[in-house]
Amino acid sequence: MGGVAAYLLLGLTWYMAYHLVALGFPEAFSVQGSSLSGDRASLPSQLFYFSFVTLTTLGYGDIVAVHPLARMLVILEGVTGQLFPAILIARLVSLHAQSKRKT
């Protein structure tokens, strides 16, 4: 359960990073051809959605990072989204194997 909670916290952390970038650079993200700067009310929900789509590496393409800083964050989140479950599963398997050897 701790691994799932950590994964969800990663998504929230990346969401906050995207939100800071979007506030600093209003044209940093594009939603289906229009920027997020025109629709401030839906900005948090769209970036929350974008964060978890990126973390899970689904990449629907309906929200695109345009600014170089935003693109860098997207790449880092995608790598994190791939490595975290792999490392977590490897660790759980090694713990399970160790417990089997002890018994």
Side-chain angles (χ1 to χ4, degrees), residues 21-96:
V21 169
L23 291 175
F25 305 100
E27 303 292 325
F29 296 93
S30 176
V31 180
Q32 296 177 356
S34 66
S35 70
L36 284 174
S37 62
D39 190 10
R40 287 282 186 204
S42 68
L43 177 68
S45 64
Q46 288 179 338
L47 290 176
F48 182 82
Y49 159 80
F50 177 71
S51 175
F52 281 94
V53 166
T54 304
L55 185 65
T56 57
T57 63
L58 290 172
Y60 293 127
D62 52 346
I63 301 175
V64 179
V66 179
H67 192 274
L69 178 60
R71 287 182 176 188
M72 181 190 69
L73 290 175
V74 168
I75 291 169
L76 290 174
E77 185 180 17
V79 169
T80 302
Q82 289 291 308
L83 290 179
F84 183 82
I87 292 169
L88 177 66
I89 290 170
R91 179 68 178 142
L92 291 174
V93 167
S94 69
L95 288 173
H96 182 69

